[in-house]
PDB file of all heavy atoms in Angstrom:
ATOM      1  N   TYR A  47      -3.232   6.848   1.042  1.00  0.00           N
ATOM      2  CA  TYR A  47      -1.807   7.129   0.837  1.00  0.00           C
ATOM      3  C   TYR A  47      -1.584   8.618   0.592  1.00  0.00           C
ATOM      4  O   TYR A  47      -0.694   9.232   1.173  1.00  0.00           O
ATOM      5  CB  TYR A  47      -1.248   6.336  -0.352  1.00  0.00           C
ATOM      6  CG  TYR A  47      -0.690   4.994   0.037  1.00  0.00           C
ATOM      7  CD1 TYR A  47      -1.416   3.827  -0.150  1.00  0.00           C
ATOM      8  CD2 TYR A  47       0.584   4.888   0.606  1.00  0.00           C
ATOM      9  CE1 TYR A  47      -0.897   2.594   0.206  1.00  0.00           C
ATOM     10  CE2 TYR A  47       1.107   3.656   0.969  1.00  0.00           C
ATOM     11  CZ  TYR A  47       0.355   2.517   0.765  1.00  0.00           C
ATOM     12  OH  TYR A  47       0.876   1.302   1.131  1.00  0.00           O
ATOM     13  N   ALA A  63       2.807   2.546  -8.076  1.00  0.00           N
ATOM     14  CA  ALA A  63       3.757   1.721  -8.828  1.00  0.00           C
ATOM     15  C   ALA A  63       3.013   0.962  -9.920  1.00  0.00           C
ATOM     16  O   ALA A  63       2.375  -0.073  -9.660  1.00  0.00           O
ATOM     17  CB  ALA A  63       4.488   0.770  -7.895  1.00  0.00           C
ATOM     18  N   LYS A  65       3.705  -1.091 -12.181  1.00  0.00           N
ATOM     19  CA  LYS A  65       3.940  -2.478 -12.586  1.00  0.00           C
ATOM     20  C   LYS A  65       2.996  -3.449 -11.890  1.00  0.00           C
ATOM     21  O   LYS A  65       2.800  -4.561 -12.353  1.00  0.00           O
ATOM     22  CB  LYS A  65       5.410  -2.874 -12.354  1.00  0.00           C
ATOM     23  CG  LYS A  65       5.827  -3.120 -10.941  1.00  0.00           C
ATOM     24  CD  LYS A  65       7.300  -3.565 -10.954  1.00  0.00           C
ATOM     25  CE  LYS A  65       7.737  -4.192  -9.654  1.00  0.00           C
ATOM     26  NZ  LYS A  65       7.989  -3.188  -8.603  1.00  0.00           N
ATOM     27  N   ALA A  66       2.359  -3.034 -10.795  1.00  0.00           N
ATOM     28  CA  ALA A  66       1.383  -3.907 -10.122  1.00  0.00           C
ATOM     29  C   ALA A  66       0.170  -4.150 -11.009  1.00  0.00           C
ATOM     30  O   ALA A  66      -0.357  -5.264 -11.088  1.00  0.00           O
ATOM     31  CB  ALA A  66       0.960  -3.306  -8.792  1.00  0.00           C
ATOM     32  N   ASP A  84       4.842   5.657 -10.902  1.00  0.00           N
ATOM     33  CA  ASP A  84       6.102   4.940 -11.162  1.00  0.00           C
ATOM     34  C   ASP A  84       5.978   4.112 -12.422  1.00  0.00           C
ATOM     35  O   ASP A  84       5.005   3.368 -12.583  1.00  0.00           O
ATOM     36  CB  ASP A  84       6.344   3.900 -10.060  1.00  0.00           C
ATOM     37  CG  ASP A  84       7.084   4.435  -8.878  1.00  0.00           C
ATOM     38  OD1 ASP A  84       7.205   5.657  -8.742  1.00  0.00           O
ATOM     39  OD2 ASP A  84       7.547   3.599  -8.071  1.00  0.00           O
ATOM     40  N   VAL A  86       8.471   1.406 -15.038  1.00  0.00           N
ATOM     41  CA  VAL A  86       9.732   0.642 -15.036  1.00  0.00           C
ATOM     42  C   VAL A  86      10.175   0.235 -16.446  1.00  0.00           C
ATOM     43  O   VAL A  86      11.079  -0.573 -16.571  1.00  0.00           O
ATOM     44  CB  VAL A  86       9.627  -0.640 -14.180  1.00  0.00           C
ATOM     45  CG1 VAL A  86       9.423  -0.290 -12.728  1.00  0.00           C
ATOM     46  CG2 VAL A  86       8.527  -1.546 -14.674  1.00  0.00           C
ATOM     47  N   HIS A 107      11.786   4.066 -13.138  1.00  0.00           N
ATOM     48  CA  HIS A 107      12.601   3.065 -12.451  1.00  0.00           C
ATOM     49  C   HIS A 107      13.111   2.011 -13.420  1.00  0.00           C
ATOM     50  O   HIS A 107      12.773   2.010 -14.587  1.00  0.00           O
ATOM     51  CB  HIS A 107      11.759   2.326 -11.405  1.00  0.00           C
ATOM     52  CG  HIS A 107      11.422   3.134 -10.207  1.00  0.00           C
ATOM     53  ND1 HIS A 107      12.266   3.286  -9.156  1.00  0.00           N
ATOM     54  CD2 HIS A 107      10.302   3.829  -9.887  1.00  0.00           C
ATOM     55  CE1 HIS A 107      11.705   4.048  -8.251  1.00  0.00           C
ATOM     56  NE2 HIS A 107      10.517   4.394  -8.656  1.00  0.00           N
ATOM     57  N   GLY A 108      13.811   1.024 -12.860  1.00  0.00           N
ATOM     58  CA  GLY A 108      14.223  -0.138 -13.624  1.00  0.00           C
ATOM     59  C   GLY A 108      15.739  -0.261 -13.658  1.00  0.00           C
ATOM     60  O   GLY A 108      16.431   0.742 -13.801  1.00  0.00           O
ATOM     61  N   VAL A 128      15.293   7.195 -11.719  1.00  0.00           N
ATOM     62  CA  VAL A 128      15.924   6.512 -10.604  1.00  0.00           C
ATOM     63  C   VAL A 128      17.061   5.679 -11.177  1.00  0.00           C
ATOM     64  O   VAL A 128      16.821   4.676 -11.870  1.00  0.00           O
ATOM     65  CB  VAL A 128      14.922   5.658  -9.816  1.00  0.00           C
ATOM     66  CG1 VAL A 128      15.630   4.942  -8.670  1.00  0.00           C
ATOM     67  CG2 VAL A 128      13.804   6.544  -9.282  1.00  0.00           C
ATOM     68  N   ARG A 154      19.411   5.053  -6.762  1.00  0.00           N
ATOM     69  CA  ARG A 154      18.834   3.918  -6.066  1.00  0.00           C
ATOM     70  C   ARG A 154      19.866   3.280  -5.157  1.00  0.00           C
ATOM     71  O   ARG A 154      20.885   2.760  -5.615  1.00  0.00           O
ATOM     72  CB  ARG A 154      18.283   2.868  -7.021  1.00  0.00           C
ATOM     73  CG  ARG A 154      17.703   1.684  -6.252  1.00  0.00           C
ATOM     74  CD  ARG A 154      16.750   0.865  -7.021  1.00  0.00           C
ATOM     75  NE  ARG A 154      16.225  -0.209  -6.187  1.00  0.00           N
ATOM     76  CZ  ARG A 154      15.180  -0.966  -6.484  1.00  0.00           C
ATOM     77  NH1 ARG A 154      14.534  -0.741  -7.606  1.00  0.00           N
ATOM     78  NH2 ARG A 154      14.778  -1.929  -5.686  1.00  0.00           N
ATOM     79  N   THR A 169      14.485  -7.032  -2.260  1.00  0.00           N
ATOM     80  CA  THR A 169      15.368  -6.227  -3.092  1.00  0.00           C
ATOM     81  C   THR A 169      16.305  -5.351  -2.280  1.00  0.00           C
ATOM     82  O   THR A 169      17.162  -4.689  -2.832  1.00  0.00           O
ATOM     83  CB  THR A 169      14.549  -5.288  -4.011  1.00  0.00           C
ATOM     84  OG1 THR A 169      13.664  -4.522  -3.189  1.00  0.00           O
ATOM     85  CG2 THR A 169      13.767  -6.051  -5.039  1.00  0.00           C
ATOM     86  N   PHE A 176      19.603  -4.927  -7.728  1.00  0.00           N
ATOM     87  CA  PHE A 176      19.135  -3.538  -7.776  1.00  0.00           C
ATOM     88  C   PHE A 176      20.029  -2.592  -6.980  1.00  0.00           C
ATOM     89  O   PHE A 176      20.437  -2.900  -5.860  1.00  0.00           O
ATOM     90  CB  PHE A 176      17.713  -3.442  -7.227  1.00  0.00           C
ATOM     91  CG  PHE A 176      16.700  -4.138  -8.083  1.00  0.00           C
ATOM     92  CD1 PHE A 176      16.141  -5.337  -7.679  1.00  0.00           C
ATOM     93  CD2 PHE A 176      16.295  -3.601  -9.298  1.00  0.00           C
ATOM     94  CE1 PHE A 176      15.197  -5.985  -8.478  1.00  0.00           C
ATOM     95  CE2 PHE A 176      15.360  -4.227 -10.089  1.00  0.00           C
ATOM     96  CZ  PHE A 176      14.802  -5.426  -9.678  1.00  0.00           C
ATOM     97  N   HIS A 204      16.728   6.962  -3.408  1.00  0.00           N
ATOM     98  CA  HIS A 204      15.583   6.049  -3.438  1.00  0.00           C
ATOM     99  C   HIS A 204      16.039   4.691  -2.928  1.00  0.00           C
ATOM    100  O   HIS A 204      17.173   4.279  -3.194  1.00  0.00           O
ATOM    101  CB  HIS A 204      15.087   5.909  -4.882  1.00  0.00           C
ATOM    102  CG  HIS A 204      14.185   4.726  -5.066  1.00  0.00           C
ATOM    103  ND1 HIS A 204      14.643   3.473  -5.396  1.00  0.00           N
ATOM    104  CD2 HIS A 204      12.855   4.604  -4.928  1.00  0.00           C
ATOM    105  CE1 HIS A 204      13.618   2.640  -5.461  1.00  0.00           C
ATOM    106  NE2 HIS A 204      12.528   3.304  -5.189  1.00  0.00           N
ATOM    107  N   HIS A 206      13.997   0.770  -2.377  1.00  0.00           N
ATOM    108  CA  HIS A 206      12.796  -0.071  -2.309  1.00  0.00           C
ATOM    109  C   HIS A 206      13.281  -1.433  -1.811  1.00  0.00           C
ATOM    110  O   HIS A 206      14.124  -2.063  -2.444  1.00  0.00           O
ATOM    111  CB  HIS A 206      12.153  -0.175  -3.692  1.00  0.00           C
ATOM    112  CG  HIS A 206      11.079  -1.198  -3.819  1.00  0.00           C
ATOM    113  ND1 HIS A 206       9.847  -1.057  -3.233  1.00  0.00           N
ATOM    114  CD2 HIS A 206      11.070  -2.407  -4.447  1.00  0.00           C
ATOM    115  CE1 HIS A 206       9.104  -2.118  -3.521  1.00  0.00           C
ATOM    116  NE2 HIS A 206       9.822  -2.944  -4.253  1.00  0.00           N
ATOM    117  N   GLY A 208      11.673  -4.350  -0.999  1.00  0.00           N
ATOM    118  CA  GLY A 208      11.032  -5.634  -1.286  1.00  0.00           C
ATOM    119  C   GLY A 208       9.528  -5.463  -1.317  1.00  0.00           C
ATOM    120  O   GLY A 208       9.031  -4.345  -1.296  1.00  0.00           O
ATOM    121  N   SER A 209       8.825  -6.568  -1.383  1.00  0.00           N
ATOM    122  CA  SER A 209       7.372  -6.505  -1.559  1.00  0.00           C
ATOM    123  C   SER A 209       6.676  -7.465  -0.601  1.00  0.00           C
ATOM    124  O   SER A 209       7.300  -8.396  -0.097  1.00  0.00           O
ATOM    125  CB  SER A 209       7.031  -6.859  -3.015  1.00  0.00           C
ATOM    126  OG  SER A 209       5.794  -6.335  -3.372  1.00  0.00           O
ATOM    127  N   GLN A 210       5.388  -7.215  -0.383  1.00  0.00           N
ATOM    128  CA  GLN A 210       4.574  -8.027   0.535  1.00  0.00           C
ATOM    129  C   GLN A 210       5.255  -8.102   1.917  1.00  0.00           C
ATOM    130  O   GLN A 210       5.377  -9.156   2.522  1.00  0.00           O
ATOM    131  CB  GLN A 210       4.301  -9.419  -0.059  1.00  0.00           C
ATOM    132  CG  GLN A 210       3.355 -10.326   0.746  1.00  0.00           C
ATOM    133  CD  GLN A 210       1.983  -9.697   1.044  1.00  0.00           C
ATOM    134  OE1 GLN A 210       1.612  -8.699   0.468  1.00  0.00           O
ATOM    135  NE2 GLN A 210       1.265 -10.260   1.983  1.00  0.00           N
ATOM    136  N   ILE A 211       5.697  -6.942   2.412  1.00  0.00           N
ATOM    137  CA  ILE A 211       6.331  -6.847   3.739  1.00  0.00           C
ATOM    138  C   ILE A 211       5.233  -6.619   4.771  1.00  0.00           C
ATOM    139  O   ILE A 211       4.397  -5.723   4.614  1.00  0.00           O
ATOM    140  CB  ILE A 211       7.369  -5.704   3.749  1.00  0.00           C
ATOM    141  CG1 ILE A 211       8.494  -6.041   2.752  1.00  0.00           C
ATOM    142  CG2 ILE A 211       7.920  -5.474   5.143  1.00  0.00           C
ATOM    143  CD1 ILE A 211       9.396  -4.872   2.429  1.00  0.00           C
ATOM    144  N   ASP A 243      12.922   8.890  -1.476  1.00  0.00           N
ATOM    145  CA  ASP A 243      11.876   7.997  -1.948  1.00  0.00           C
ATOM    146  C   ASP A 243      12.096   6.640  -1.277  1.00  0.00           C
ATOM    147  O   ASP A 243      13.114   5.979  -1.533  1.00  0.00           O
ATOM    148  CB  ASP A 243      11.982   7.886  -3.474  1.00  0.00           C
ATOM    149  CG  ASP A 243      10.896   7.039  -4.077  1.00  0.00           C
ATOM    150  OD1 ASP A 243      10.324   6.202  -3.351  1.00  0.00           O
ATOM    151  OD2 ASP A 243      10.643   7.193  -5.283  1.00  0.00           O
ATOM    152  N   GLY A 245      10.257   3.938  -1.405  1.00  0.00           N
ATOM    153  CA  GLY A 245       9.776   2.747  -2.120  1.00  0.00           C
ATOM    154  C   GLY A 245       8.390   2.309  -1.712  1.00  0.00           C
ATOM    155  O   GLY A 245       7.651   3.023  -1.032  1.00  0.00           O
ATOM    156  N   GLY A 246       8.043   1.118  -2.168  1.00  0.00           N
ATOM    157  CA  GLY A 246       6.728   0.530  -1.855  1.00  0.00           C
ATOM    158  C   GLY A 246       6.954  -0.707  -1.018  1.00  0.00           C
ATOM    159  O   GLY A 246       7.886  -0.772  -0.232  1.00  0.00           O
ATOM    160  N   GLY A 247       6.083  -1.699  -1.199  1.00  0.00           N
ATOM    161  CA  GLY A 247       6.315  -2.982  -0.554  1.00  0.00           C
ATOM    162  C   GLY A 247       5.408  -3.324   0.597  1.00  0.00           C
ATOM    163  O   GLY A 247       5.545  -4.403   1.191  1.00  0.00           O
ATOM    164  N   ILE A 248       4.490  -2.431   0.943  1.00  0.00           N
ATOM    165  CA  ILE A 248       3.586  -2.742   2.063  1.00  0.00           C
ATOM    166  C   ILE A 248       2.713  -3.943   1.687  1.00  0.00           C
ATOM    167  O   ILE A 248       2.135  -3.988   0.604  1.00  0.00           O
ATOM    168  CB  ILE A 248       2.727  -1.511   2.411  1.00  0.00           C
ATOM    169  CG1 ILE A 248       3.626  -0.430   3.003  1.00  0.00           C
ATOM    170  CG2 ILE A 248       1.593  -1.888   3.352  1.00  0.00           C
ATOM    171  CD1 ILE A 248       2.906   0.744   3.577  1.00  0.00           C
ATOM    172  N   GLU A 288       5.880   4.559  -2.642  1.00  0.00           N
ATOM    173  CA  GLU A 288       5.489   4.033  -3.951  1.00  0.00           C
ATOM    174  C   GLU A 288       4.700   2.726  -3.845  1.00  0.00           C
ATOM    175  O   GLU A 288       5.185   1.677  -4.231  1.00  0.00           O
ATOM    176  CB  GLU A 288       6.737   3.733  -4.776  1.00  0.00           C
ATOM    177  CG  GLU A 288       7.676   4.912  -4.920  1.00  0.00           C
ATOM    178  CD  GLU A 288       8.957   4.517  -5.650  1.00  0.00           C
ATOM    179  OE1 GLU A 288       9.501   3.424  -5.359  1.00  0.00           O
ATOM    180  OE2 GLU A 288       9.390   5.288  -6.493  1.00  0.00           O
ATOM    181  N   PRO A 289       3.477   2.788  -3.341  1.00  0.00           N
ATOM    182  CA  PRO A 289       2.684   1.565  -3.210  1.00  0.00           C
ATOM    183  C   PRO A 289       2.164   1.057  -4.548  1.00  0.00           C
ATOM    184  O   PRO A 289       1.736   1.849  -5.391  1.00  0.00           O
ATOM    185  CB  PRO A 289       1.516   2.014  -2.319  1.00  0.00           C
ATOM    186  CG  PRO A 289       1.350   3.467  -2.663  1.00  0.00           C
ATOM    187  CD  PRO A 289       2.752   3.998  -2.890  1.00  0.00           C
ATOM    188  N   GLY A 290       2.233  -0.234  -4.759  1.00  0.00           N
ATOM    189  CA  GLY A 290       1.614  -0.852  -5.914  1.00  0.00           C
ATOM    190  C   GLY A 290       0.585  -1.878  -5.418  1.00  0.00           C
ATOM    191  O   GLY A 290      -0.622  -1.639  -5.455  1.00  0.00           O
ATOM    192  N   ARG A 291       1.144  -2.970  -4.900  1.00  0.00           N
ATOM    193  CA  ARG A 291       0.294  -4.057  -4.409  1.00  0.00           C
ATOM    194  C   ARG A 291      -0.777  -3.581  -3.431  1.00  0.00           C
ATOM    195  O   ARG A 291      -1.932  -3.971  -3.532  1.00  0.00           O
ATOM    196  CB  ARG A 291       1.202  -5.083  -3.692  1.00  0.00           C
ATOM    197  CG  ARG A 291       0.508  -6.366  -3.289  1.00  0.00           C
ATOM    198  CD  ARG A 291       1.427  -7.227  -2.402  1.00  0.00           C
ATOM    199  NE  ARG A 291       2.734  -7.438  -3.007  1.00  0.00           N
ATOM    200  CZ  ARG A 291       3.022  -8.419  -3.853  1.00  0.00           C
ATOM    201  NH1 ARG A 291       2.097  -9.288  -4.203  1.00  0.00           N
ATOM    202  NH2 ARG A 291       4.232  -8.538  -4.342  1.00  0.00           N
ATOM    203  N   SER A 292      -0.401  -2.741  -2.460  1.00  0.00           N
ATOM    204  CA  SER A 292      -1.351  -2.348  -1.407  1.00  0.00           C
ATOM    205  C   SER A 292      -2.436  -1.409  -1.929  1.00  0.00           C
ATOM    206  O   SER A 292      -3.403  -1.140  -1.233  1.00  0.00           O
ATOM    207  CB  SER A 292      -0.609  -1.734  -0.226  1.00  0.00           C
ATOM    208  OG  SER A 292       0.248  -0.696  -0.650  1.00  0.00           O
ATOM    209  N   ALA A 387      -3.199  -7.213  -8.057  1.00  0.00           N
ATOM    210  CA  ALA A 387      -1.805  -6.818  -8.312  1.00  0.00           C
ATOM    211  C   ALA A 387      -1.017  -7.992  -8.883  1.00  0.00           C
ATOM    212  O   ALA A 387      -1.190  -9.139  -8.449  1.00  0.00           O
ATOM    213  CB  ALA A 387      -1.142  -6.348  -7.008  1.00  0.00           C
ATOM    214  N   TYR A 388      -0.144  -7.694  -9.834  1.00  0.00           N
ATOM    215  CA  TYR A 388       0.781  -8.677 -10.397  1.00  0.00           C
ATOM    216  C   TYR A 388       0.066  -9.918 -10.953  1.00  0.00           C
ATOM    217  O   TYR A 388       0.581 -11.025 -10.889  1.00  0.00           O
ATOM    218  CB  TYR A 388       1.850  -9.070  -9.356  1.00  0.00           C
ATOM    219  CG  TYR A 388       2.598  -7.876  -8.823  1.00  0.00           C
ATOM    220  CD1 TYR A 388       2.347  -7.374  -7.544  1.00  0.00           C
ATOM    221  CD2 TYR A 388       3.511  -7.203  -9.627  1.00  0.00           C
ATOM    222  CE1 TYR A 388       3.003  -6.243  -7.074  1.00  0.00           C
ATOM    223  CE2 TYR A 388       4.164  -6.067  -9.158  1.00  0.00           C
ATOM    224  CZ  TYR A 388       3.920  -5.606  -7.886  1.00  0.00           C
ATOM    225  OH  TYR A 388       4.566  -4.483  -7.434  1.00  0.00           O
TER     226      TYR A 388
HETATM  227  C1  PLP B 501       7.671  -2.900  -7.483  1.00  0.00           C
HETATM  228  C2  PLP B 501       8.111  -1.613  -6.956  1.00  0.00           C
HETATM  229  C3  PLP B 501       7.278  -0.869  -6.114  1.00  0.00           C
HETATM  230  C4  PLP B 501       5.925  -1.347  -5.649  1.00  0.00           C
HETATM  231  O1  PLP B 501       6.011  -2.442  -4.808  1.00  0.00           O
HETATM  232  P1  PLP B 501       4.700  -3.038  -4.131  1.00  0.00           P
HETATM  233  O2  PLP B 501       5.189  -4.180  -3.343  1.00  0.00           O
HETATM  234  O3  PLP B 501       3.795  -3.437  -5.228  1.00  0.00           O
HETATM  235  O4  PLP B 501       4.135  -1.957  -3.284  1.00  0.00           O
HETATM  236  C5  PLP B 501       7.731   0.372  -5.687  1.00  0.00           C
HETATM  237  N1  PLP B 501       8.950   0.842  -6.070  1.00  0.00           N
HETATM  238  C6  PLP B 501       9.771   0.135  -6.876  1.00  0.00           C
HETATM  239  C7  PLP B 501      11.057   0.698  -7.256  1.00  0.00           C
HETATM  240  C8  PLP B 501       9.372  -1.108  -7.339  1.00  0.00           C
HETATM  241  O5  PLP B 501      10.193  -1.791  -8.132  1.00  0.00           O
END
Side-chain angles (χ1 to χ4, degrees):
Y47 269 101
K65 75 177 195 283
D84 272 14
V86 295
H107 288 277
V128 179
R154 179 159 181 167
T169 54
F176 293 106
H204 164 271
H206 169 72
S209 203
Q210 186 55 14
I211 296 167
D243 183 338
I248 292 188
E288 305 175 318
R291 188 189 308 273
S292 52
Y388 305 105

